Amino acid sequence: MRACVGRMLRGFAFAACLTSFAAAAAEFVPGVDDLPLMPGLEANAAASTAFETPTGRIVEAEAQGRGVSEAEVRRFYAGTLPALGWKRVDDRRYDRAGERLSLGFAQRQGQLVVRFDIRPR
């Protein structure tokens, strides 16, 4: 009986970890419902625009984070984007289905600012 209860408790703990991870991964770049926002970054909705054109969508979005480096952001997206169908062009650009995603970086008031730009290719 104790072994059964122990397994149940471990199962509940595992499920709680998965739920926590899913909640953390549930944030997306504004205007792009399938582009996850790296943990540690906070979306700046006021600096984000998305619209459709006859040749495809245009999305300009921004996020910032304190204590996050450009290298960490590039590594995160290099590991995440291929699973979402994006093909790496270089460490700041990815292509998918006629679109190009470009990542831009700047420092503002002690924070790393990440620009996400999607345009038709």
Side-chain angles (χ1 to χ4, degrees), residues 5 8 18 21 23 25 28 44 51 53-54 58 61 76 78 81 85 88 95 113:
V5 171
M8 284 178 33
L18 286 179
F21 177 76
F28 295 92
N44 181 354
F51 55 92
T53 71
I58 295 177
F76 174 81
L81 293 173
R88 184 176 185 266
D95 288 346
V113 177

Side-chain angles (χ1 to χ4, degrees), residues 98-117:
E99 294 182 318
R100 171 152 295 161
L101 166 64
S102 300
L103 302 175
F105 301 94
Q107 287 288 328
R108 185 185 309 141
Q109 298 173 345
Q111 295 189 69
L112 178 68
V113 177
V114 183
R115 296 277 309 157
F116 300 89
D117 187 70

